[in-house]
Amino acid sequence: FEVAGLLIVPLGNKSYASYTALLERDVPFVFLDRFVEKLSVPVISTDNQQGGYLAGRHLLECGFREVFVLMENSGEATSLRDRLT
């Protein structure tokens, strides 16, 4: 079948070979919310650093002084890394 293009939410570098295969076949695709740092591919993303800042600021303004972040992150999810930053 013929594909016009793909929207991909990458789950880290584990599918790196799949993404390069798409590039080699000239299949157009865009990453959503995350990206693979080694690939030059268009990305549509939220401002995760600003979102993390606003969430932290809100908690501080509500009087919370001890804020913990609980997330699964192997360092590959750029969106999670940026939110934590």
Side-chain angles (χ1 to χ4, degrees), residues 7-84:
L7 301 173
I8 300 174
V9 179
L11 300 176
N13 295 322
K14 295 175 183 168
S15 299
Y16 184 80
S18 300
Y19 307 140
T20 56
L22 291 172
L23 289 170
E24 290 169 359
R25 293 182 180 155
D26 292 323
V27 175
F29 65 97
V30 175
F31 286 144
L32 297 175
D33 199 42
R34 299 177 181 173
F35 59 94
V36 176
E37 293 174 309
K38 298 177 184 178
L39 295 177
S40 179
V41 175
V43 179
I44 299 171
S45 182
T46 56
D47 186 340
N48 289 301
Q49 285 186 342
Q50 180 70 6
Y53 168 78
L54 292 172
R57 187 177 79 184
H58 174 73
L59 292 172
L60 290 171
E61 288 173 352
C62 288
F64 295 100
R65 292 294 172 252
E66 294 186 37
V67 178
F68 297 88
V69 176
L70 180 63
M71 64 182 176
E72 181 180 340
N73 186 4
S74 62
E76 294 184 25
T78 56
S79 57
L80 296 178
R81 183 190 64 213
D82 289 348
R83 289 175 196 157
L84 185 57

